[in-house]
Amino acid sequence: MHKSDLHHYLKTARESLVWKLDGLPEYDVRRPLTPTGTNLLGLVKHLAGVELGYFGDTFGRPHGESLPWYEDGADANADMWATPGESREQIIALYHRAWAHADATIEELSLDAPGHVAWWPADRNPTSLHRILVHVLAETTRHAGHADIVRELIDGAVGRQESDILPSDDQAWWRDYHERLEDAARQAG
């Protein structure tokens, strides 16, 4: 039960992240919208590597994918953006293959299955599938939140794929709401 709940939320977060790329031109999925360069396609690329590493290497389950952005001599943060030679389709396909590999690990191992994260300090190793599943779920939802904000900055699109929980879809309502918050911030500051 616990494993299936965690797995369900991981799958939902993955799908929401990829959904944020839908309908956008190539430039918009790649362009950096924060001072640290956060961009939609880079988030997907990063999480593909995260899942392959944590659900593959950690449990001695080789994934067989080439991830040159993690090799010695690669540019810093090379996993957080797409080069002109890396297509959206390639990166999304890599993420889907990472999902399949991770899902197989999650389904085949018990939550207490032991693992070792080579890049973690000794005091955090050994680890377990449970800990890794929680860790990757937290990282994925964190980056899906980044994607929510980046997408809103690109074209104003907000919400979630599976349901809309926003109080309004009226742009005038949102302008008034934004002005009320700005006014409250000024009064408090």
Side-chain angles (χ1 to χ4, degrees), residues 36-148:
T36 58
T38 303
N39 64 89
L40 293 171
L41 197 55
L43 292 170
V44 173
K45 180 180 175 181
H46 170 70
L47 285 172
V50 164
E51 289 213 26
L52 290 168
Y54 280 113
F55 293 113
D57 302 335
T58 296
F59 297 100
R61 297 170 60 92
H63 50 76
E65 295 288 347
S66 174
L67 305 175
W69 50 89
Y70 288 137
E71 293 175 4
D72 289 339
D75 289 338
N77 266 3
D79 66 320
M80 297 297 293
W81 61 283
T83 68
E86 295 171 323
S87 74
R88 173 195 323 222
E89 293 77 17
Q90 289 170 323
I91 291 173
I92 291 172
L94 173 66
Y95 195 29
H96 284 151
R97 291 191 306 275
W99 294 2
H101 189 74
D103 290 348
T105 298
I106 294 165
E107 290 164 9
E108 292 172 21
L109 301 180
S110 65
L111 282 178
D112 60 352
H116 176 80
V117 183
W119 54 94
W120 281 6
D123 66 329
R124 291 180 61 199
N125 275 300
T127 191
S128 67
L129 177 62
H130 181 258
R131 187 177 202 186
I132 295 303
L133 188 49
V134 170
H135 178 82
V136 174
L137 172 58
E139 184 158 350
T140 304
T141 55
R142 177 175 167 249
H143 289 313
H146 294 145
D148 288 340

Side-chain angles (χ1 to χ4, degrees), residues 24-33 39-41 88 154:
L24 291 176
E26 200 64 29
Y27 172 73
D28 284 336
V29 299
R30 294 168 178 269
R31 70 178 165 132
L33 286 164
N39 64 89
L40 293 171
L41 197 55
R88 173 195 323 222
I154 292 170

